[in-house]
Amino acid sequence: MLTGARQGTLSGLRRLVAFAMARDLGVYLIPGPEIARINNLDITATGMRIVASPRHASVLLLVGEIPPVLREAAAVIYAQMMRPRVLFVLQASSESTELLPLPAADIVADISQQALIKGVSQLRTLLTTGAFRPDVSDFDAPILQIRIEYTCSMHPEIVRDEPGSCPKCGMDLIQREAQATLGDVHTETQNMGSEHHTAMDHGSMGHGMVHDAAVEYTCSMHPEVSEKEPGSCPKCGMNLEPRDAAIEYTCSMHPEVSEKEPGSCPKCGMNLEPRQ
């Protein structure tokens, strides 16, 4: 059963449309083409086209074990794809099958060229017979929903789930909209609301309002994105996070890799992530 089918009965005309869709497969690859090459996968040899925009893709291909933050980005990409859409997963047998917030995969296969070719044949059949269904469900995930959060105009790193005062300067927190994520819980540690910090901040205000040092905001999925203010990533829509110069970056697949700056893993090509 195709989880991303288009609503409608499979009439004669729609059979022709479904057949045409099954022949012309645009694929959006996650984590990226580099991972496919590392695993000796030739995507174009299967007859699929690698596309740069989710809106031009009918197949979302995930290669390897996908960490939670990458699954959230994949959910945003999947939601942008036009129906019918197929979720195709290539992974080693030892890897986790957890895909949330994505739906269940339509096709799962081993990471090999032979398994890829067989899987593409299966998805062509799946599209030809199941591109249209009378009953379909909308895809919904927390990352796609809008939530209300409260922050300080002077200290944007302060984020709370409820209105109140900034623990650094005492100003009222202002309301803003943000995308929800799987782990949207704002704790006191995130807000740095200890009495020690508050006392220091208020004590320094005797010489006028003191601003924090310039904070640079970046995307955990696209570390090349750099902004002076908080907001959303222009590439995947995820919330930007403050970049700490002291952060150590590592690879979720190769934790022995350690870098001082964000970038790509020299072993597998995946984006490095801040070490927790």
Side-chain angles (χ1 to χ4, degrees):
M1 183 177 66
L2 186 63
T3 58
R6 185 179 296 183
Q7 189 167 19
T9 56
L10 194 60
S11 62
L13 178 59
R14 285 175 177 162
R15 287 181 188 276
L16 293 176
V17 172
F19 181 82
M21 290 176 174
R23 302 279 70 79
D24 183 24
L25 298 175
V27 58
Y28 194 96
L29 191 59
I30 292 179
E34 299 84 1
I35 300 301
R37 289 193 289 269
I38 289 171
N39 287 279
N40 298 316
L41 300 175
D42 189 344
I43 305 299
T44 57
T46 66
M48 295 194 296
R49 298 177 294 105
I50 297 179
V51 298
S53 170
R55 300 185 186 279
H56 299 150
S58 57
V59 181
L60 180 60
L61 179 60
L62 309 183
V63 180
E65 188 167 6
I66 308 300
V69 66
L70 196 52
R71 294 200 301 267
E72 289 189 347
V76 175
I77 291 169
Y78 183 79
Q80 295 176 22
M81 294 168 59
M82 299 294 292
R83 293 176 181 267
R85 55 196 175 198
V86 179
L87 183 55
F88 188 3
V89 177
L90 294 176
Q91 62 179 35
S93 58
S94 60
E95 293 175 340
S96 171
T97 57
E98 178 64 65
L99 290 178
L100 290 176
L102 286 163
D106 296 297
I107 297 175
V108 179
D110 294 332
I111 305 178
S112 70
Q113 184 68 17
Q114 184 178 2
L116 174 63
I117 293 173
K118 183 178 179 180
V120 171
S121 177
Q122 292 175 345
L123 73 85
R124 290 188 194 277
T125 301
L126 194 62
L127 280 170
T128 300
T129 59
F132 293 90
R133 293 182 55 211
D135 56 331
V136 298
S137 58
D138 291 332
F139 172 65
D140 189 23
I143 189 66
L144 304 177
Q145 300 171 2
I146 299 298
R147 61 178 172 79
I148 300 298
E149 63 183 19
Y150 298 85
T151 186
C152 175
S153 58
M154 295 297 297
H155 303 95
E157 70 276 11
I158 301 296
V159 180
R160 294 275 180 85
D161 292 319
E162 297 180 355
S165 300
C166 174
K168 289 190 172 185
C169 65
M171 293 180 62
D172 288 339
L173 301 180
I174 58 176
Q175 177 179 303
R176 71 179 180 189
E177 292 184 349
Q179 282 186 311
T181 64
L182 287 176
D184 270 325
V185 178
H186 299 125
T187 64
E188 289 298 319
T189 56
Q190 286 177 295
N191 296 327
M192 298 178 64
S194 67
E195 294 181 1
H196 175 70
H197 282 285
T198 304
M200 288 181 63
D201 291 332
H202 282 290
S204 63
M205 292 173 65
H207 300 287
M209 186 66 69
V210 178
H211 292 258
D212 284 356
V215 178
E216 182 181 4
Y217 295 83
T218 187
C219 174
S220 58
M221 289 299 303
H222 301 96
E224 68 276 12
V225 173
S226 177
E227 303 290 345
K228 297 300 183 183
E229 297 181 355
S232 299
C233 174
K235 293 189 175 182
C236 67
M238 292 182 64
N239 289 336
L240 300 180
E241 301 174 353
R243 173 180 288 163
D244 188 339
I247 286 180
E248 181 182 4
Y249 294 84
T250 187
C251 175
S252 58
M253 298 295 293
H254 302 93
E256 68 274 13
V257 172
S258 176
E259 301 290 345
K260 297 299 184 183
E261 298 288 339
S264 300
C265 174
K267 293 189 175 182
C268 67
M270 290 182 63
N271 287 337
L272 300 180
E273 302 175 358
R275 190 186 295 276
Q276 300 297 323

